[in-house]
Amino acid sequence: MKTLKHLFDKNRVWADDVRRHDPEFFTRLSQQQAPDFLWIGCSDSRVPANQIVGLLPGEMFVHRNVANVVVHTDLNCLSTIQFSVDVLKVEHIIVCGHYGCGGVLAALRGERLGLIDNWLRHVQDIRATHQSELDALASDEERHKRLCELNVKVQVVNVSRTTIVQDAWARGQKLFVHGWIYDLSDGLLRDLDVTDSQPV
């Protein structure tokens, strides 16, 4: 008996449906990928990158981690950025957080969850930097939402300051770094107006 058979069944239904609408889709997709976008988002299962922007497989390169954090020692994330910028030549890097992020909430509350505490230390640092602003808000919900936004803004700066992005801009490559946030309650994206497009 095949384990998780229902997932294989759903895969077959999905692939059949795609072929029914576009018989050559998988043939084209297998030849190459040429996305215009790199999405750096949260691992949260409620935030499927391609789906919420209505893009098909092959149209967006994706990196996800808990709380959409970008740090200069994370070789996984940096390798993804480097490949997408230098090889795929994406024009847009989108850092997308989301309201209701459990990682951000744990950082806000200073909760101890285990190994992940070390990763969320980066978000706790953002909280500490903006503590007076967060304290001025009326409710925990507002503080949580604001820290989700602040986290995205800091990660946009972190992406923009990588040697990969700086070198791309120095050689005149067209590249934009955007900061967005997704609202689980209505399914809509919001632009946080923190787009970078030139050397820092």
Side-chain angles (χ1 to χ4, degrees):
M1 183 173 109
K2 192 173 280 186
T3 59
L4 301 176
K5 181 181 181 302
H6 66 290
L7 296 182
F8 286 93
D9 293 341
K10 287 177 180 282
N11 168 251
R12 183 163 298 285
V13 169
W14 171 77
D16 289 345
D17 186 56
V18 170
R19 275 192 293 273
R20 191 168 30 258
H21 288 94
D22 183 353
E24 300 302 316
F25 178 79
F26 291 110
T27 302
R28 285 194 316 275
L29 190 65
S30 65
Q31 301 304 313
Q32 67 175 13
Q33 63 173 335
D36 290 326
F37 314 99
L38 166 62
W39 175 281
I40 300 174
C42 184
S43 299
D44 194 301
S45 61
R46 301 167 295 175
V47 191
N50 284 60
Q51 195 169 356
I52 65 176
V53 290
L55 294 179
L56 293 170
E59 296 182 325
M60 181 177 282
F61 205 59
V62 177
H63 174 83
R64 294 169 70 174
N65 63 55
V66 174
N68 45 270
V69 171
V70 178
V71 291
H72 300 133
T73 54
D74 180 1
L75 296 182
N76 185 358
C77 184
L78 293 179
S79 296
T80 302
I81 295 171
Q82 187 271 324
F83 186 80
S84 65
V85 170
D86 293 346
V87 179
L88 298 176
K89 305 294 186 191
V90 300
E91 289 189 8
H92 301 275
I93 299 174
I94 300 160
V95 179
C96 187
H98 66 98
Y99 296 128
C101 180
V104 172
L105 183 60
L108 180 65
R109 293 177 174 169
E111 293 176 349
R112 296 296 303 271
L113 301 175
L115 179 63
I116 189 83
D117 300 341
N118 299 284
W119 183 253
L120 295 177
R121 181 74 249 172
H122 302 291
V123 184
Q124 288 178 345
D125 291 344
I126 298 167
R127 180 198 69 198
T129 300
H130 298 276
Q131 193 68 59
S132 58
E133 177 187 349
L134 295 169
D135 288 344
L137 296 173
S139 68
D140 285 342
E141 181 182 357
E142 288 178 276
R143 283 186 281 277
H144 185 197
K145 288 181 79 169
R146 184 58 181 151
L147 187 54
C148 289
E149 295 170 349
L150 291 168
N151 183 47
V152 169
K153 292 180 177 188
V154 169
Q155 306 317 324
V156 167
V157 172
N158 288 348
V159 171
S160 297
R161 289 182 176 169
T162 62
T163 57
I164 302 151
V165 172
Q166 290 289 306
D167 289 349
W169 283 333
R171 64 179 174 261
Q173 186 171 336
K174 185 178 178 184
L175 183 63
F176 300 89
V177 184
H178 310 272
W180 296 357
I181 196 143
Y182 177 70
D183 195 333
L184 295 168
S185 67
D186 62 14
L188 297 178
L189 289 162
R190 289 160 178 80
D191 190 336
L192 295 177
D193 295 320
V194 289
T195 299
D196 284 342
S197 60
Q198 59 187 356
V200 176

